[in-house]
């Protein structure tokens, strides 16, 4: 295959590439990079009107609507590298005898990279020429879908595989009711077994997407105008036909290789289509090669993924430039393992070879299987090993794919080594991947998105890449889903490798403070600093902090000095939860959770909670921590609600704080015949002792009255398990995303000794942990682990036991119920208002019924792109200065909302900078009216606000998103006259056209019914609207006249990331498709 020095007429040999998709483009880029001797001249046919773009990230187009953002290169790439790009020209004929394409373009080497086309099943009436029928393939397809969806209410997607789910996500992001039609008995039938597919089905249906399995399409219906209007079909095991009205249908049920050029010129075709290639990517004609989706490897396999095409292109480039046949490489096939993320829930399928899928190893009698099913949490795992149990053949993971990288590495190695199969199903691999960085081998995958191994990270550190940013630039670690950095082992691997080099990894909490949390804790304690700005002046830089350092320092101040969280100067340091002493919910309301120590409550206490919930219309739920949550409280109602609860004897439950939440208990020996200690009394004592204790992260505890462990104390941050002699003391366990079993700190301790050890343990954790670090990972990172902790806490190795005990006793003695203080202090009560300039109220989200209670309407997909049209740059002579409140009504270094017309604005008193700012109050990310409650800070010298819901940040000067999102919020000029705060605003009618609450508030009537042909009886499918009219919007305490519904199910974000799309590869599917409902 190696080329001669010259080609036609003694010139360079000419390679013609037919197709400028991702694989064709990758081939060109590799030739430019590797053909340093310029042995080849390159020509590329590009059928489309634009050059190569990223089909893998096609779904992100619905977020930004900008074709250029999908482009794989600048237009200058071709001219700069002497590549002839035949843009908009389709190759229709190959003449192998004369080596010509389209009878005019000569070649020495021809590379077919024509890709594939969408498969459209031969269902009656299903034609892409029918208005309302679309395929999901090109940018033009996306643009047409977006435009057509503006008048569509319901969409069907044909296909429940990877491509179908990607298309379903796209139309769902357009806020169109979405139905998936899948012919198989479950979703993703190629990658998953039936149980895994059904678990995935439940997840998707829980998001508000209807899934129709075993769907048999009888006919595609059109109306009198010839437009698509519905589907006649049967589903399940029934032959009874349904007529489902629809407005749009997207076909995304597979692809077929575009092999017509090869067929027409006589190339050998694979058994299932595609141009047959050998291990050198050579076709039956020695001068013609094929790569990507058009290539049928050995005539047996066309890969519909991006990664195999890249591997084929790399092999072909290498061989074209090889000096001899002995230097050439062979392409022997590709891994089909895939991973997708759906609303934060992982789904993965991995195998040691393609046989895992094609021979369905998960069902094969010759294989052994280990299965884990957790229907409560929606987790399913199946591990498949060979008959001897020594080789991992593959795995299916739904709901928890934390072990994906480790399992994939084991499958590729071909042996389990000294590992037992049972260790893989229970998360041992995940634990190794997340905690024991020393145990991760160099060839273990760490960043599965980009194929980065632990060894590559260690090598990069040794080469001088010592920060995450440097690592990302070096080998793309963490640039995909980011999980390997956020909760994976990347940071630990880097830190330990740097330690070997005698370097220390930076642990500064943010750019404003070059110190770790522990170092700041010591500075604040030793220098007795009592305010954020004192700390900033002594240990930081800049005029103000940010959303990272403010809460961290506020937590330290609270842990040390225990002053009220709403004290002047501290009330705007913490997130909105602490500012309003309640957990903010997705509709901008708050939860009310009174403390119920040990889970013990009287009937009168229950009656008081019930009365409050009923009076204020709150949704109620009993938690796993043995207390009662009440949801949906409006800010102005919070003090009144808590006054009733305080009068009934309740205290703050601190569910809003990084503090002690609950101490769970069983009934112990007071009632249980197995109990050996009074676990309830001990739990009540512990909860009353540690209530209000602020810490780096939340704390949970439990006390069990016997070894039956009904209170699950060994899964808590600290817990006691009763023995005949006293209690076993356990620490550093937790549930959540990375469950950890607690470690035994002391055995058979009496109650007083147990509490003494817990005092020391908790304070030592508070002294030394990183921000937002729970006790389990803190212990994992503690040098010496549990044995060292025993030396410090039990044996006082550091000589600080008395200090730790004294510090805890100070916290206990200075405790006050934060809500009682608010209830009794008129000045604090005044802080609980929705608007600074009026007593009016606005609800910002509709409601829908759920089992006898009301819950918020489903969240829409992110709005993006969003750019406010009414902003200070658009001011004209109609704008006037409008008073919106007094200076005293806006907190220092914080914000408050004001109502203007029917719009909500946020006004910020940035005292540290001596400046005022105003923006819209709605964060466009989730259409939540909460920006005024966000933390203000600085990004360099840029003043910013962080949305309290998801930490999206915006410039207070320009409104630009600082988080990289396609949003730009409205900003307005502010001036102060005496004690008056004035904004420069247009007339209310003008601003309402752009920002009125009723325009953006979430809640839409889409409750629907079905029609069956001929009046047939049977199950009804929710489709037709039963109520009309606009979104219901109300003020004060008026009840809504309609409730936003979507088939009675939560319509949350269907986020598909890390999934192989049409061409494979990692798909960073963006959020933010615009909806104009």
């Amino acid at each position: 295959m190696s080329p001669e020095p010259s080609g036609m007429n003694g010139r360079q040999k000419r390679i013609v590439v037919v197709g400028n998709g991702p694989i064709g483009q990758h081939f060109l880029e590799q030739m430019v990079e590797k053909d340093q001797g310029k042995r080849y001249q390159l020509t590329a046919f590009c059928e489309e009107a634009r050059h190569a773009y990223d089909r893998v990230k096609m779904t992100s187009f619905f977020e930004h609507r900008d074709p250029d953002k999908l482009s794989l290169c600048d237009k200058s790439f071709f001219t700069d590298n002497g590549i002839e790009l035949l843009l908009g020209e389709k190759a229709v004929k190959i003449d192998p005898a004369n080596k010509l394409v389209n009878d005019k373009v000569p070649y020495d080497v021809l590379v077919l990279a024509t890709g594939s086309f969408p498969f459209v099943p031969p269902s009656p009436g299903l034609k892409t020429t029918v208005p309302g029928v679309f395929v999901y393939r090109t940018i033009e397809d996306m643009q047409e879908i977006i435009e057509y969806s503006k008048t569509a209410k319901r969409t069907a997607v044909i296909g429940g595989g990877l491509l179908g789910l990607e298309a379903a996500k796209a139309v769902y992001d357009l806020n169109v009711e979405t139905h998936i039609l899948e012919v198989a008995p479950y979703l993703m039938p190629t990658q998953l077994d039936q149980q895994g597919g059904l678990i995935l089905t439940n997840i998707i249906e829980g998001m508000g997407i209807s899934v129709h399995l075993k769907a048999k399409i009888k006919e595609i219906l059109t109306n009198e105008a010839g437009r698509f209007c519905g589907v006649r079909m049967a589903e399940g095991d029934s032959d009874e036909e349904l007529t489902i009205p629809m407005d749009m249908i997207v076909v995304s049920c597979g692809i077929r290789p575009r092999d017509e050029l090869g067929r027409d010129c006589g190339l050998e075709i694979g058994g299932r289509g595609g141009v047959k290639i050998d291990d050198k990517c050579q076709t039956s004609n020695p001068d013609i090669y094929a790569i990507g989706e058009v290539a049928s490897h050995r005539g047996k396999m066309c890969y519909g993924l991006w990664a195999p095409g890249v591997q084929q292109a790399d092999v072909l480039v290498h061989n074209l430039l090889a000096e001899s046949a002995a230097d050439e490489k062979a392409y022997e096939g590709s891994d089909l393992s895939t991973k997708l993320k759906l609303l934060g829930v992982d789904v993965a399928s991995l195998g040691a070879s393609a046989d895992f899928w094609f021979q369905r190893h998960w069902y094969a009698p010759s294989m052994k299987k280990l299965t884990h099913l957790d229907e409560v949490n929606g987790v399913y795992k199946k591990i498949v090993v060979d008959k001897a149990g020594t080789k991992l053949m593959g795995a299916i993971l739904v709901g928890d794919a934390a072990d994906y990288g480790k399992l994939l590495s084991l499958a590729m190695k071909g042996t389990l080594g000294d590992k037992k199969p049972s260790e893989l199903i229970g998360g041992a691999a995940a634990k190794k991947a997340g905690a024991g960085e020393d145990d991760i081998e160099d060839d273990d995958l760490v960043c599965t998105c980009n194929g980065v191994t632990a060894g590559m990270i260690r090598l990069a550190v040794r080469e001088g890449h010592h920060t995450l940013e440097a690592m990302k630039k070096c080998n793309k670690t963490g640039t995909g889903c980011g999980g390997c950095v956020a909760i994976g082992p990347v940071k630990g691997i880097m830190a330990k490798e740097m330690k070997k080099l005698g370097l220390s990894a930076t642990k500064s909490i943010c750019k404003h403070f070059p110190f770790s949390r522990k170092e700041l804790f010591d500075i604040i304690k030793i220098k007795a600093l009592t305010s954020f700005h004192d700390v900033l002046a002594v240990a930081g830089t800049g005029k103000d902090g940010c959303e990272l350092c403010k809460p961290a320092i506020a937590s330290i101040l609270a842990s040390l000095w225990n002053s009220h969280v709403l004290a002047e100067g501290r009330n705007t340091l913490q997130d909105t939860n602490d500012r309003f002493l309640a957990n903010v919910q997705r509709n901008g309301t708050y939860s009310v959770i009174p403390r119920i120590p040990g889970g013990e409550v009287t009937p009168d206490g229950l009656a008081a909670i019930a009365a409050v919930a009923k009076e204020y219309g709150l949704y109620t739920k009993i938690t796993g921590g043995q207390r009662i949550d009440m949801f949906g409280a409006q800010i102005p109602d919070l003090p009144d609600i808590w006054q009733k609860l305080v009068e009934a004897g309740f205290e703050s439950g601190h569910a809003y704080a990084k503090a002690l939440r609950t101490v769970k208990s069983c009934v112990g020996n007071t009632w249980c015949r197995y109990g050996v200690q009074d676990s309830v009394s001990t739990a009540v004592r512990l909860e009353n002792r540690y209530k209000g204790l602020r810490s780096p992260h939340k704390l949970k505890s439990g006390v069990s009255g016997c070894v039956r462990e009904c209170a699950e104390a060994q899964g808590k941050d600290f817990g006691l398990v009763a023995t005949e002699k006293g209690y076993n003391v356990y620490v550093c366990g937790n549930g959540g995303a990375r469950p950890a079993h607690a470690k035994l700190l002391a055995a058979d301790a009496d109650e007083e000794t147990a509490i003494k050890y817990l005092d020391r343990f908790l304070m030592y954790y508070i002294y030394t942990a990183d921000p937002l670090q729970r006790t389990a990972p803190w212990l994992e990172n503690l040098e010496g682990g549990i044995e060292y902790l025993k030396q410090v806490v039990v044996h006082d190795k550091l000589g600080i036991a008395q200090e730790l005990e004294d510090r805890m006793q100070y916290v206990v003695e200075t405790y006050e119920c934060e809500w009682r203080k608010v209830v009794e202090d008129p000045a604090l009560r005044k802080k609980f208002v929705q608007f600074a300039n009026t007593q009016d109220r606005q609800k910002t989200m509709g409601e829908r019924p759920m089992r006898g209670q009301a819950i918020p309407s489903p969240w829409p997909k992110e709005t993006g792109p969003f750019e406010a049209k009414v902003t200070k740059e658009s001011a004209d002579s109609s704008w006037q200065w409008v008073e919106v409140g007094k200076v005293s009504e806006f907190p220092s270094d914080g914000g408050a909302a004001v109502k203007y017309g029917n719009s909500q604005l946020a006004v910020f008193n940035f005292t540290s900078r001596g400046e005022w700012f105003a923006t819209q109050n709605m964060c466009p990310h989730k259409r939540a009216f909460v920006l005024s409650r966000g933390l203000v800070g600085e990004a360099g010298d840029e003043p910013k606000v962080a949305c309290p819901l998801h930490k999206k940040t915006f410039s207070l000067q320009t409104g630009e998103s600082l988080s990289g999102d396609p949003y730009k919020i409205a900003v307005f000029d502010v001036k102060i006259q005496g004690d008056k705060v004035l904004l420069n605003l247009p007339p209310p009618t003008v601003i309402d056209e752009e920002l009125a609450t009723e325009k953006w508030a979430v809640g839409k009537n889409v409750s629907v019914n079905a029609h069956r042909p001929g009046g047939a009886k049977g199950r009804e499918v929710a489709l037709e609207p039963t109520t009309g009219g606009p979104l219901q919007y109300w003020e004060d305490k008026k009840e809504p006249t309609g409730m936003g519904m979507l088939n009675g199910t939560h319509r949350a974000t269907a986020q598909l990331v890390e999934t192989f799309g049409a061409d494979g590869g990692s798909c960073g599917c963006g959020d933010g498709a615009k909806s104009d409902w």
Side-chain angles (χ1 to χ4, degrees):
M1 188 186 300
S2 304
E4 296 298 326
S6 61
M8 298 169 294
N9 302 320
R11 299 191 304 270
Q12 294 172 294
K13 278 183 173 277
R14 186 173 189 178
I15 295 178
V16 174
V17 182
V18 179
N20 190 229
I23 303 307
Q25 178 64 22
H26 180 78
F27 175 84
L28 294 175
E29 291 174 355
Q30 290 299 300
M31 285 297 299
V32 168
E33 178 183 341
K34 307 245 174 107
D35 185 15
Q36 296 298 317
K38 302 299 181 185
R39 298 160 71 175
Y40 289 100
Q41 177 185 348
L42 300 173
T43 297
F45 278 85
C46 182
E47 178 181 343
E48 295 188 49
R50 54 177 59 85
H51 64 268
Y53 58 90
D54 192 349
R55 296 187 195 279
V56 176
K57 296 183 179 179
M58 187 73 77
T59 307
S60 68
F61 183 76
F62 289 82
E63 172 188 346
H64 50 69
R65 316 286 175 92
D66 184 358
D68 290 341
K69 290 187 177 180
L70 291 178
S71 179
L72 289 173
C73 65
D74 293 331
K75 294 179 180 179
S76 60
F77 167 80
F78 302 97
T79 54
D80 290 349
N81 293 289
I83 299 173
E84 181 184 14
L85 179 65
L86 304 177
L87 197 65
E89 184 168 346
K90 181 179 180 179
V92 295
K93 179 183 177 183
I94 297 173
D95 180 355
N98 296 303
K99 293 189 177 182
L100 292 173
V101 180
N102 287 358
D103 292 327
K104 63 178 182 179
V105 180
Y107 67 85
D108 291 294
V109 175
L110 181 64
V111 179
L112 297 180
T114 50
S116 60
F117 65 89
F119 170 66
V120 179
S123 301
L126 185 58
K127 299 178 181 178
T128 56
T129 55
V130 174
V133 178
F134 301 93
V135 292
Y136 188 85
R137 186 63 174 168
T138 68
I139 287 179
E140 284 70 27
D141 294 332
M142 306 302 109
Q143 291 171 329
E144 291 173 5
I145 289 172
I146 290 170
E147 185 63 27
Y148 202 88
S149 70
K150 293 178 180 179
T151 58
K153 296 180 180 178
R154 292 176 296 278
T155 297
V157 175
I158 300 180
L162 286 176
L163 296 179
L165 294 182
E166 186 175 355
K169 173 192 181 296
V171 296
Y172 177 78
D173 288 350
L174 296 172
N175 282 306
V176 179
E177 185 182 316
T178 306
H179 293 251
I180 297 173
L181 312 183
E182 169 56 45
V183 68
Y186 56 92
L187 295 177
M188 289 180 64
T190 301
Q191 291 83 12
L192 304 179
D193 67 355
Q194 184 164 1
Q195 185 67 64
L198 292 176
I199 288 287
L200 179 60
T201 300
N202 291 336
I203 294 172
I204 290 179
E205 288 183 330
M207 292 159 27
I209 296 176
S210 298
V211 180
H212 305 267
L213 300 175
K214 293 185 180 180
K216 299 174 280 291
I217 298 176
K218 304 296 184 180
E219 184 181 5
I220 299 301
L221 305 177
T222 56
N223 59 19
E224 295 178 354
R227 300 169 71 89
F228 168 74
C229 66
V231 178
R232 183 164 61 84
M233 59 174 283
E235 65 176 299
D237 296 325
S238 173
D239 291 328
E240 185 178 7
E241 294 183 4
L242 308 171
T243 295
I244 306 181
M246 293 281 175
D247 303 304
M248 183 170 71
I249 191 166
V250 178
V251 183
S252 187
C253 53
I255 55 176
R256 298 293 185 268
R258 291 189 60 180
D259 56 13
E260 64 273 14
L261 280 174
R263 291 178 186 271
D264 293 344
C265 74
L267 297 180
E268 188 175 349
I269 303 299
R272 301 183 64 181
V275 177
K276 182 180 178 180
I277 62 169
D278 60 14
D279 289 357
K280 304 296 176 62
C281 299
Q282 194 171 47
T283 70
S284 55
N285 184 306
D287 298 315
I288 303 177
Y289 301 86
I291 55 177
E293 293 166 341
V294 71
S296 176
H297 183 226
R298 300 174 183 172
K300 297 179 180 179
M301 179 67 179
C302 287
Y303 292 92
L305 305 174
W306 174 83
V310 168
Q311 293 162 6
Q312 292 165 3
D314 290 346
V315 167
L316 179 55
V317 168
H318 175 87
N319 292 344
L320 287 173
L321 298 174
E323 295 297 332
S324 66
D327 295 329
E328 293 180 358
K329 293 181 178 180
Y331 171 75
E332 299 179 346
S334 296
D335 177 34
L336 295 176
S337 300
T338 59
K339 181 181 178 184
L340 88 127
K341 183 171 288 184
L342 183 62
L343 189 59
V345 179
D346 289 333
V347 179
S349 178
L350 61 98
S353 71
D355 289 344
F356 178 72
W357 296 278
F358 297 138
Q359 297 183 14
R360 316 292 277 179
H361 279 174
W362 51 78
Y363 294 137
S366 60
M367 303 292 170
K368 292 183 178 180
K369 301 95 180 175
L370 295 88
T371 303
H372 168 78
L373 175 62
D374 180 355
E375 292 183 337
V376 174
N377 295 306
V379 174
Y380 173 73
K381 300 180 182 181
K382 176 175 277 189
I383 304 295
V384 181
V385 297
D386 64 354
K387 197 167 186 177
T390 59
K391 182 178 180 180
L392 178 62
M393 307 304 296
I396 293 170
L397 309 171
V398 179
D400 176 8
D403 287 352
Y404 175 76
K406 190 69 180 178
L407 292 173
L408 183 58
S409 294
L410 287 174
M412 295 297 104
K413 289 177 182 177
T415 177
L416 292 179
D418 59 354
K419 298 177 179 65
K420 297 179 180 179
S422 58
E423 295 175 3
L424 306 181
I425 197 70
K431 181 180 178 182
K432 176 174 278 191
E437 287 82 7
D438 287 337
D439 295 326
I440 299 178
E441 299 175 13
D442 280 347
D443 58 353
D444 284 345
L445 275 175
V446 172
C447 176
T448 57
C449 295
N450 296 296
V452 182
T453 65
M456 292 167 66
I457 294 175
R458 292 177 179 129
L459 176 62
V461 170
R462 293 194 293 270
E463 291 177 345
H465 303 282
H466 297 156
T467 66
L468 283 174
E469 286 305 313
M471 189 64 64
K472 289 177 180 179
K473 293 178 181 178
C474 172
N475 52 33
K476 296 187 177 180
T477 297
T479 58
C481 72
C484 60
V485 173
I487 60 174
V490 169
K491 292 180 181 178
I493 293 173
M494 291 180 63
K496 292 193 175 184
E497 195 64 27
M498 289 175 67
K499 186 175 181 179
K500 292 178 183 178
L501 299 174
L503 304 172
S504 60
T506 177
K507 289 190 175 182
S508 59
I509 62 174
C510 73
K511 293 182 179 180
H512 297 99
F513 291 93
F515 300 103
S516 67
R517 181 188 176 279
K518 181 183 182 303
E519 291 168 334
L520 280 173
F521 190 99
D522 292 339
I523 292 171
I524 294 170
K525 180 166 69 76
I526 293 170
K527 293 184 177 292
L529 305 176
T530 59
S531 74
F532 174 81
H533 287 287
D534 287 344
V535 180
L536 185 65
V538 170
T541 60
K543 299 177 182 178
D544 198 52
C546 65
E547 71 276 11
L548 299 177
C549 59
K550 285 185 174 182
I553 290 175
S555 173
I556 294 173
L557 294 173
S559 297
L560 284 171
W561 317 126
N562 212 25
S563 58
H564 198 281
V565 70
L566 296 185
E568 191 62 36
R570 288 192 53 201
N571 56 325
T572 54
L573 289 181
Q574 296 275 32
D575 284 323
T576 184
N577 289 355
D578 284 276
R579 181 175 171 184
F580 293 105
L581 305 181
N583 269 342
V584 68
Q585 305 304 313
R586 62 185 182 86
N587 63 347
T589 65
Y590 290 81
S591 61
V592 175
I593 307 176
R595 185 170 298 285
I596 302 179
E600 185 180 65
V601 62
T602 66
D604 287 342
L606 288 173
I609 291 175
V612 166
K614 191 169 184 179
E615 179 178 353
Y616 290 91
L618 306 180
Y619 172 95
T620 56
K621 183 183 183 300
I622 297 175
T623 75
Q626 297 181 333
R627 55 187 182 181
I628 298 173
D629 286 9
M630 293 174 277
F631 295 88
Q634 302 288 330
I635 292 176
D637 291 331
L638 285 171
D640 295 334
I641 290 172
W642 273 102
Q643 181 170 346
K644 296 176 184 294
L645 292 172
V646 167
E647 290 172 351
F650 289 103
E651 293 183 310
S652 170
H654 288 95
Y656 50 83
K658 302 305 181 190
L660 177 71
R661 299 292 177 84
T662 63
V663 181
K664 187 176 181 179
S665 73
C666 64
V667 294
N669 64 8
T670 54
W671 289 93
C672 179
R673 64 186 185 278
Y674 299 110
V676 295
Q677 300 290 346
D678 184 359
S679 56
V680 179
S681 295
T682 303
V684 171
R685 182 180 179 187
L686 289 181
E687 189 156 346
N688 282 327
R689 180 169 183 80
Y690 301 128
K691 61 188 177 185
L693 176 65
R694 300 281 174 147
S695 53
H697 210 299
K698 62 187 175 185
L699 294 168
K700 294 185 178 182
S701 180
V703 181
S704 288
C706 71
V707 293
R708 291 173 179 265
E709 248 284 68
C710 294
E712 302 166 329
Q714 295 175 79
K716 309 297 184 186
D717 294 283
F718 62 96
L720 304 180
V721 178
T723 67
E724 294 288 350
K725 298 179 181 179
Y727 288 100
N728 287 341
V729 182
Y730 290 90
V731 296
C732 299
N734 64 251
R738 294 183 61 198
H741 196 285
K743 310 297 184 191
L744 181 65
L745 181 69
D748 294 326
D750 60 75
E751 188 171 305
E752 296 302 324
T753 301
I755 290 176
K756 177 174 66 175
Y757 289 164
L758 290 178
D759 283 356
R760 297 175 182 178
F761 157 71
L762 289 170
M763 268 301 160
Y764 188 59
Y765 160 65
I766 290 170
Y767 272 35
T768 59
D770 290 332
L772 300 178
Q773 185 179 44
R774 292 202 67 176
T775 56
W778 169 73
L779 182 63
E780 289 173 2
N781 294 330
L782 189 65
E783 195 77 32
I786 186 63
E787 294 305 318
Y788 176 79
L789 186 62
K790 287 179 182 178
Q791 291 297 316
V792 173
V793 171
V794 178
H795 304 295
D796 194 17
K797 176 180 180 178
L798 301 180
I800 60 173
Q802 191 60 53
E803 178 188 343
L804 298 175
E805 292 175 28
D806 291 346
R807 180 66 62 181
M808 180 63 76
Q809 191 59 36
Y810 172 81
V811 172
V812 172
E813 292 174 355
T814 56
Y815 166 80
E816 63 176 340
C817 172
E818 290 170 347
W819 265 115
R820 176 180 287 276
K821 178 72 172 177
V822 171
V823 167
E824 295 174 351
D825 188 334
L828 290 179
R829 290 185 76 133
K830 288 182 179 179
K831 297 178 182 291
F832 290 81
V833 294
Q834 184 175 11
F835 301 115
N837 64 335
T838 178
Q839 295 300 311
D840 288 352
R841 298 190 189 185
Q842 284 185 340
K843 284 191 176 181
T844 57
M845 183 178 282
E847 296 174 341
R848 60 189 176 96
M850 176 71 77
R851 293 179 291 275
Q853 300 193 81
I855 65 173
S857 296
W859 240 345
K861 193 65 184 73
E862 287 88 336
T863 308
F866 175 94
E867 183 170 353
K869 298 176 182 176
V870 178
T871 189
K872 63 183 181 182
E873 288 83 5
S874 64
D876 57 29
S877 59
S878 67
W879 288 45
Q880 296 183 345
W881 289 99
V882 180
E883 181 181 350
V884 295
K886 307 297 184 185
V887 170
S888 60
E889 293 169 329
F890 299 89
S892 177
D893 287 322
V898 298
K899 183 170 176 280
Y900 179 67
N902 283 320
S903 299
Q904 294 190 27
L905 307 179
V907 180
F908 300 95
N909 177 8
F910 210 147
T911 312
S912 301
R913 294 174 60 99
E915 296 178 278
W916 288 72
F917 301 95
T919 71
Q920 65 189 61
N921 196 33
M922 182 193 73
C923 176
H925 175 230
K926 289 292 187 181
R927 294 181 184 162
F929 293 76
V930 294
L931 284 182
S932 62
R933 311 175 208 171
L935 290 175
V936 297
E938 292 178 323
D941 194 45
E942 185 81 16
K944 66 176 181 177
V945 62
C947 173
L949 294 190
H950 298 103
K951 299 300 182 286
K952 301 292 184 181
T953 53
F954 301 91
S955 166
L956 291 173
Q957 290 178 325
T958 67
E960 296 281 356
S961 168
L962 302 179
S963 309
D965 300 294
Y967 311 136
K968 184 177 182 180
I969 62 174
V971 291
F972 306 96
D973 288 324
V974 188
K975 72 177 181 180
I976 307 300
Q977 288 185 346
D979 65 344
K980 298 178 181 179
V981 180
L982 297 95
L983 306 186
N984 191 28
L985 299 171
T989 55
V990 174
I991 204 168
D992 285 345
E993 288 180 3
E994 176 72 13
L995 298 175
T997 303
E998 61 185 341
K999 176 178 180 178
W1000 295 105
V1002 175
K1004 183 182 181 184
N1005 293 325
V1006 290
S1007 179
V1008 293
N1009 295 313
H1011 295 290
R1012 287 179 173 272
K1017 294 182 180 180
R1019 181 177 66 84
E1020 290 197 333
V1021 184
L1023 291 171
E1024 289 287 319
T1026 58
T1027 58
L1031 163 73
Q1032 297 302 316
Y1033 162 78
W1034 60 96
E1035 295 185 0
D1036 299 319
K1037 293 188 178 180
K1038 298 175 184 177
E1039 294 299 320
T1041 57
M1043 293 185 177
M1045 295 184 62
L1046 185 66
N1047 297 340
T1049 53
H1050 188 296
R1051 181 173 178 173
T1053 305
Q1055 205 174 19
L1056 292 172
V1057 296
E1058 290 184 46
T1059 182
F1060 289 108
D1063 294 314
S1066 289
C1067 179
C1069 299
D1071 302 329
K1074 184 174 177 62
S1075 168
D1076 296 316
W1077 51 261

